[in-house]
Amino acid sequence: MARTLLNHLETVRRSSVHPVGILVTGGLGVFLLRDYLGSAFLSRAYHFSPAPFSEVEIGELARRFIDRGPPLGESVVKAIHLASGGNPALATYGLQHLWSRASATERDVADIYSELPARHPDFLRDVRSAVSHPDLSEGPLRVWAVIRREGPRVPRATLLQAAAGGTGTLPMDLDDILRLLRGAGLVTLNGSSTGDPLDLRAVASIINLPERAPTSGDIREQLLGDLRALLASIHRWAPDFFHTPSSARGEEKKPRRIVPEAVFSAILAIGLAQGGWVVEREAVQAEGRTDLKLSRAGKTAIVEVKIWGRNDYERIHGQVEGYWTRGVHAAAAVMLTDLEQPSFRADYLTDCLADTRLTVTEESFEPPLRGHFGVKSTSQDGFDVLVDHLLLRIPRG
């Protein structure tokens, strides 16, 4: 149908006295049109894939917030960029829902995007179906899955194997598939598409969050499984988690650094919500406000996020212990760093877990985690506390 339409348009163009300009655009659907019949229109078509919104462009869109009250903070804009992946529909969705609020925080961003799958269940399904159709080709879906799992350096042979279609499907070469996935804002390619391996990675966004893990009857195991999957994705998305803080006029440009703890907490909150948890941000819990309060099947878990060297990071276990109440069944403390730190585990033991009243067990872990400790203690209220401490380095790339 598309080829017939475009051939008719080419006929109109040739017979028209005035030049005819044709714009083909799409919403959620992404279409790849091939010129099998030699249409002069398509043979001269210029391939153009608009880039996703950058953090700077989302910041420009957010300037209108100054007209109606407080501007959006840099970390709020960064949280929108990470949650949306620069997808124009998702980015403007976040800005739209922040507009009516007197002020906005990363917590609000997490709430807005956590609710999106329930409010608009067709959105994520339509985005995924745009790159997969069982009657045409599921090659893009298989290539996308490989990039999400193995990026950023993927051997060409692995991609070609994933691209190979089954019997009776439309054959698509790797260049077509990568153009489709990049045009949909799902992956980025650095360098040449003819390289081997290719430098490909999934874009940080709610569309690329890991699939829901199998439900475990043990809330601690469920929490650990979900956090491991999310932290592995954050590790693969590492370049997206750096930003350059704004500088005053005349001030020396500040170096790039990883985003604040609140942004990491927002992304974890969105991912855990999509994984089936009921998530509360900064919930009042005993001695303060925990970063994340989670509930599932009538049981409660808490998560605290810290960045090495910032904001009383060495007190992370004491903070989680202070949030423990009778209804808490599991807890995790996530420590992040962007530093080259070969002795990260040893330094963590010395700086954060040296209290003699703590019983520390080194648990097994797999990359990209840099360490996992199970720490038992007794809270001031007499509760037996068990906190899983997870260590992750965010590479600068």
Side-chain angles (χ1 to χ4, degrees):
M1 182 180 69
R3 287 198 302 272
T4 301
L5 170 64
L6 291 170
N7 282 333
H8 283 310
L9 289 173
E10 172 65 8
T11 301
V12 171
R13 188 195 67 79
R14 289 181 177 181
S15 61
S16 175
V17 175
H18 303 288
V20 176
I22 301 170
L23 173 66
V24 180
T25 187
L28 293 181
V30 180
F31 302 94
L32 179 69
L33 303 180
R34 267 293 178 218
D35 174 20
Y36 291 107
L37 303 181
S39 159
F41 174 80
L42 279 184
S43 65
R44 293 196 302 273
Y46 175 71
H47 292 287
F48 176 72
S49 298
F53 288 162
S54 67
E55 183 183 348
V56 172
E57 289 169 326
I58 294 175
E60 285 296 312
L61 290 173
R63 289 180 63 183
R64 289 297 304 275
F65 281 74
I66 299 175
D67 299 338
R68 66 103 177 96
L72 294 188
E74 287 184 356
S75 59
V76 174
V77 172
K78 185 63 179 178
I80 294 173
H81 183 235
L82 288 168
S84 69
N87 179 301
L90 287 175
T92 52
Y93 176 87
L95 293 171
Q96 168 196 346
H97 283 270
L98 288 177
W99 183 257
S100 60
R101 307 193 182 204
S103 61
T105 65
E106 301 87 349
R107 178 181 62 193
D108 299 314
V109 175
D111 292 343
I112 288 167
Y113 286 103
S114 294
E115 294 170 357
L116 186 144
R119 286 186 173 185
H120 307 283
D122 293 339
F123 185 89
L124 298 181
R125 183 172 62 247
D126 287 348
V127 169
R128 292 186 174 99
S129 66
V131 295
S132 171
H133 194 296
D135 296 332
L136 298 176
S137 177
E138 292 194 335
L141 190 66
R142 292 193 296 271
V143 171
W144 181 29
V146 167
I147 295 170
R148 293 173 71 188
R149 183 176 66 248
E150 301 185 21
R153 296 180 64 80
V154 188
R156 175 172 286 274
T158 303
L159 295 168
L160 289 172
Q161 182 179 5
T167 304
T169 60
L170 176 69
M172 294 179 65
D173 64 28
L174 185 58
D175 285 340
D176 283 341
I177 289 174
L178 294 181
R179 182 181 296 122
L180 189 65
L181 294 176
R182 294 167 68 192
L186 300 175
V187 306
T188 60
L189 169 67
N190 294 317
S192 171
S193 62
T194 61
D196 191 9
L198 276 74
D199 189 352
L200 288 160
R201 65 182 181 85
V203 174
S205 77
I206 63 171
I207 301 173
N208 273 320
L209 284 169
E211 304 297 336
R212 179 179 297 190
T215 302
S216 169
D218 186 295
I219 191 170
R220 180 192 179 197
E221 289 303 314
Q222 184 71 49
L223 177 63
L224 285 174
D226 289 342
L227 283 176
R228 288 189 192 108
L230 286 167
L231 292 175
S233 292
I234 287 174
H235 185 269
R236 287 192 291 269
W237 300 334
D240 293 329
F241 281 84
F242 285 83
H243 76 135
T244 303
S246 61
S247 304
R249 181 172 295 180
E251 183 182 3
E252 185 177 349
K253 187 176 181 180
K254 298 176 182 177
R256 283 172 59 81
R257 62 186 305 191
I258 54 176
V259 297
E261 297 159 3
V263 178
F264 282 104
S265 296
I267 300 304
L268 289 177
I270 296 168
L272 290 166
Q274 287 199 23
W277 295 87
V278 177
V279 183
E280 294 181 63
R281 290 294 315 278
E282 298 181 13
V284 176
Q285 188 75 14
E287 294 182 6
R289 293 181 178 271
T290 184
D291 284 345
L292 302 176
K293 180 180 178 181
L294 314 171
S295 60
R296 191 184 194 118
K299 295 183 178 180
T300 298
I302 53 179
V303 176
E304 188 72 14
V305 180
K306 292 288 187 185
I307 294 176
W308 186 264
R310 299 189 198 173
N311 300 338
D312 297 327
Y313 72 99
E314 70 279 2
R315 296 185 55 251
I316 187 168
H317 183 84
Q319 280 189 266
V320 179
E321 185 183 85
Y323 301 144
W324 199 283
T325 61
R326 191 178 303 280
V328 174
H329 294 83
V334 177
M335 183 65 73
L336 307 164
T337 185
D338 62 335
L339 303 175
E340 283 285 2
Q341 208 166 342
S343 58
F344 193 11
R345 289 200 302 280
D347 293 342
Y348 192 81
L349 284 169
T350 301
D351 286 19
C352 304
L353 302 177
D355 193 326
T356 56
R357 66 186 184 83
L358 305 180
T359 301
V360 180
T361 303
E362 187 158 8
E363 306 279 356
S364 61
F365 64 91
E366 295 181 358
L369 290 182
R370 291 295 186 90
H372 176 191
F373 300 102
V375 183
K376 295 181 179 180
S377 62
T378 302
S379 71
Q380 292 183 353
D381 294 325
F383 296 118
D384 292 330
V385 173
L386 172 58
V387 181
D388 286 284
H389 292 248
L390 304 175
L391 282 56
L392 179 70
R393 178 176 178 265
I394 310 296
R396 286 184 169 268

